[in-house]
Amino acid sequence: MKALQNFSDKYKLNFPLLSDPAHKMIESYGAWRGKKFMGRLFKGIIRCSFLIDTDGKIEEIWDPVKAKGHAAEVLARLQELA
């Protein structure tokens, strides 16, 4: 939690960051799954994004996500929905 707070403070975020150390939410969204790194298989968080409306409905899922250009892609989708 301290690391999240430091990150939020550093970048002056105007929204809360959430933590899920027990993986309950991550697993329910299907973002905790098998990964491979340097030939080793392990479980970890897959980089993905979910756009959720004010009623809690998932409007869009990006899976997997490449960081480069992703923010612009999400903003474009938000503009479509507005």
Side-chain angles (χ1 to χ4, degrees), residues 27-42:
E27 288 181 27
S28 71
Y29 278 92
W32 184 260
R33 27 185 219 254
K35 297 173 75 168
K36 189 175 189 179
F37 180 69
M38 296 181 67
R40 191 176 134 242
L41 297 173
F42 62 97

Side-chain angles (χ1 to χ4, degrees), residues 59-71:
E59 291 288 339
E60 188 78 34
I61 300 171
W62 291 272
D63 184 4
V65 167
K66 294 207 184 281
K68 186 173 184 176
H70 183 57

Side-chain angles (χ1 to χ4, degrees), residues 38-82:
M38 296 181 67
R40 191 176 134 242
L41 297 173
F42 62 97
K43 281 219 167 190
I45 298 173
I46 302 299
R47 187 177 293 187
C48 53
S49 294
F50 298 84
L51 179 60
I52 302 170
D53 72 10
T54 56
D55 295 323
K57 179 184 169 208
I58 296 175
E59 291 288 339
E60 188 78 34
I61 300 171
W62 291 272
D63 184 4
V65 167
K66 294 207 184 281
K68 186 173 184 176
H70 183 57
E73 189 177 10
V74 173
L75 286 173
R77 182 66 174 122
L78 284 169
Q79 290 171 342
E80 289 174 14
L81 293 171

Side-chain angles (χ1 to χ4, degrees), residues 3-19:
L4 289 178
Q5 188 60 52
N6 290 343
F7 182 87
S8 182
D9 293 344
K10 179 179 179 179
Y11 293 102
K12 298 177 177 52
L13 301 180
N14 64 354
F15 53 87
L17 295 177
L18 306 176
S19 177

